[in-house]
Amino acid sequence: MERTWVTIEGNEAVANVAHALSEVIAIYPITPSTPMGELADAWSAAGRTNLWGTVPLVVEMQSEGGAAGAIHGALQTGAWQPRSRLPRACY
């Protein structure tokens, strides 16, 4: 099987992994921001699935505290989320 190699920006690479490993993605607007939240939102809106074959739910919160609280609540209900802290625009 032949592999295809592409060059992408670091933020897109991190967003790609986060989207593939998450069931819930809580984003919040900041300035300046990275495109990670917007990429995750666009991929879910387009129906792109994660490693488990489901489309991650993307919710936009108003603050970092709201995003952290949303992920905490999702984890309490059994959703899977990577434990690493993603850079400021996507949890």
Side-chain angles (χ1 to χ4, degrees):
M1 178 166 89
E2 188 174 325
R3 290 186 182 191
T4 302
W5 294 87
V6 296
T7 301
I8 60 174
E9 193 240 345
N11 288 315
E12 183 178 351
V14 172
N16 190 12
V17 172
H19 191 273
L21 295 177
S22 300
E23 291 181 303
V24 177
I25 301 170
I27 61 175
Y28 62 96
I30 62 167
T31 303
S33 66
T34 69
M36 292 177 7
E38 288 81 9
L39 288 169
D41 191 27
W43 292 333
S44 285
R48 183 174 172 180
T49 59
N50 59 19
L51 292 177
W52 298 275
T54 62
V55 177
L57 172 65
V58 177
V59 293
E60 183 174 340
M61 306 306 292
Q62 293 301 311
S63 67
E64 184 173 357
I71 293 302
H72 178 73
L75 290 171
Q76 292 297 317
T77 64
W80 200 88
Q81 181 72 21
R83 292 201 56 162
S84 65
R85 185 179 187 283
L86 296 177
R88 299 179 52 110
C90 179
Y91 270 91

